[in-house]
């Protein structure tokens, strides 16, 4: 088995203006040689299929847009994610970061000592523009 590597997942719809900010950031990081030791993925949404990759990573960073009117567009915030499968959703069309981490916990093999999930950080970029059909980020 190979050593765990950091996993970066930028997600969002690149065809809905600022909703694609996470997707675009992941594309930039994947091309940056400083991130050669990381697994960097661009996804349109979080999917249950990511759970095994999350469980095998050394650390996970999720990057997404957050619809926000209380802060300036482009403002970045972050928070630790804890596993929680209650009420946030696990479906083929929407998986919350908390539900994804709960799914990842289910993939761990029971061993002695108990296996641990990697730390997961959600990085959110405040956004306001989510119109269809635009393949560009707004200036803000």
């Amino acid at each position: 088995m190979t050593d765990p590597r950091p996993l970066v997942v930028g997600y969002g719809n690149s065809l809905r203006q600022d909703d694609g900010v996470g997707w675009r950031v992941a594309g930039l990081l994947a091309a940056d040689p400083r991130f050669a030791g990381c697994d960097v993925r661009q996804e349109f949404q979080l999917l249950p299929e990511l759970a095994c990759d999350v469980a095998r990573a050394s650390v996970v960073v999720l990057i997404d847009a957050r619809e926000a009117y209380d802060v300036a567009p482009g403002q970045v915030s972050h928070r630790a994610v804890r596993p929680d499968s209650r009420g946030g959703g696990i479906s083929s069309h929407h998986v919350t970061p908390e539900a994804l981490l709960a799914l990842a916990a289910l993939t761990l093999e029971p061993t002695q000592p108990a296996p641990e999930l990697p730390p997961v950080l959600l990085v959110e970029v405040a956004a306001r523009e989510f119109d269809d059909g635009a393949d560009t980020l707004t200036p803000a």
Side-chain angles (χ1 to χ4, degrees), residues 8-22:
V8 177
V9 180
Y11 62 101
N13 189 337
S14 63
L15 297 177
R16 294 197 61 206
Q17 285 186 309
D18 294 339
D19 190 41
V21 70

Side-chain angles (χ1 to χ4, degrees), residues 75-89:
Q75 185 172 335
V76 177
S77 62
H78 59 84
R79 65 179 174 84
V81 176
R82 305 280 182 249
D84 187 354
S85 59
R86 299 170 295 149

Side-chain angles (χ1 to χ4, degrees), residues 89-107:
I90 298 174
S91 74
S92 62
H93 296 290
H94 182 72
V95 176
T96 65
E98 292 78 10
L100 178 62
L101 197 53
L103 280 173
L106 295 175
T107 69

